[in-house]
Amino acid sequence: MRLDAHPGLLDRAVDHFDVAAHLEAAGFGDAFARRHGAADVYDYARALPALPPDTPETLSVRTRSPREGWVRALLLLAGAVVMALCAPAAAGAGAGAGSNLSLTFIATGLTGWVLGQLVGFVTWRRAGLGDLAGAARRSVATAAIVAVPILGGVTAATVLLGGAPLFATLALSSAWAVYAVSLTLVSVLGGLRLLALLAASCAVVAVGATVADATIIPLVALGVLSLGGAVLAARTYRATTHLPPARPSRDDVRAAFNGAAQAALMSCALLLALNLADSDDRIPLSIAVILAAALCDPAIEDLGLRLRSLSYRSRLWRAVLSGVISRTLIYLAGIAVATISAAWVVDLILGIEEDPASGIVPDAVVLGVVAPVFAVFAFGSAIVLRAGRVGEAVWISALACLGFAVFRIGFPVALGVTVLCFACLLAVYHAVAAALHPHSW
């Protein structure tokens, strides 16, 4: 629960027990508290700043702006552009460079995705409890603990199984992982403007250098973006707390495990989706997926503003209920349309010609069905995660894997499309249900 979700509650309370009583009166009981790592609602209340503002125990919580969702979307897109432009120079040329490059790019993106999910779960959980200092200390420790095995495992698997270049894969994965962790920390603790300025500058330089055929400059831009993001994250950390990083608690590890399970399943679904297309169509499909992931954040941020009114139990509850349903469906449809449009536009720009023998399914199915359906899965899992329904997020990710795996098994394309669309409808149902009845927001 964010502290600004119930304005006036903490001001009216005289102690932590009064806060717990207000929470229970609003419908938040022990089950809600346990989802945030507390033993019961009283333990949860003790984690919140329940005393008057002039007391030493009061914690300051940064007010969130609805514009931050769009800023984070642009940060993700800018980082992806820089990484994509520097990948050709990193992978090098020669026999099999194209396939090795695609493997390197996919492995790099998945590394940042998994690591960002792990750190994000710990950070958002602590911030939701009003413990910003703990969010910084434990998220940094989590990143340090899990980064080495993740980077090592992804690099080894890509090199041994795919023949990708070792140094390029390790360098790109490391740089992107540092940026992903920095983006997570800065998003929660503050400092998005500086990071946005840095990312935009690096993206402009990388694009300009690519147009001028200076392939080495994008590599420098990625290095500056990664190191600059780390410096900004360290600056934000020091502004939040002067204490050293602390080991994540058992509840933090459990939350990170849930996030890792969801991220791993979505990563497998993405690999399956990319494997359905030939090598040329993977480029527009990858760009469409990145766009879908970026659009999830501002859409959920806007939904969160509307969902707060549900906590007030106002007289216009039915109107708000209908509004949340319609907005959720509009966002799902909008992200799907944006994804399919981006895939087709990039396909036309590159002038890709269909080769029936190179892909598992026709190009029209990849760009017209796989791309928007994956966008719906991504937004569906993201919204239930932010709503505190982690089990449903894992279930949606498993549905995505199942839907794309049907094509790999060898069933007819029509049957595969039917199964995939049915799984997509289930994801839509869970997304709407999570928006209507969030456990936390």
Side-chain angles (χ1 to χ4, degrees), residues 6-82:
H6 297 274
L9 185 152
L10 300 180
D11 296 337
R12 298 192 308 266
V14 296
D15 55 24
H16 293 104
F17 294 99
D18 197 12
V19 172
H22 282 297
L23 287 173
E24 289 189 319
F28 299 105
D30 293 342
F32 171 83
R34 283 192 292 271
R35 293 186 185 97
H36 287 271
D40 50 36
V41 69
Y42 296 101
D43 186 35
Y44 182 86
R46 283 192 292 270
L48 298 176
L51 301 180
D54 55 349
T55 60
E57 294 185 36
T58 300
L59 299 176
S60 61
V61 178
R62 185 174 60 89
T63 303
R64 299 178 59 82
S65 169
R67 292 192 298 271
E68 291 184 3
W70 289 105
V71 174
R72 288 193 296 271
L74 294 176
L75 284 170
L76 179 61
L77 289 174
V81 167
V82 174

Side-chain angles (χ1 to χ4, degrees), residues 101 110 223 264 272 309 383 396:
L101 175 61
L110 294 182
L272 288 171
S309 57
I383 192 173
I396 291 177

Side-chain angles (χ1 to χ4, degrees), residues 226-248:
S226 178
L227 294 177
V231 171
L232 289 176
R235 173 179 174 271
T236 302
Y237 179 92
R238 300 303 295 178
T240 306
T241 177
H242 294 282
L243 298 175
R247 288 185 178 183

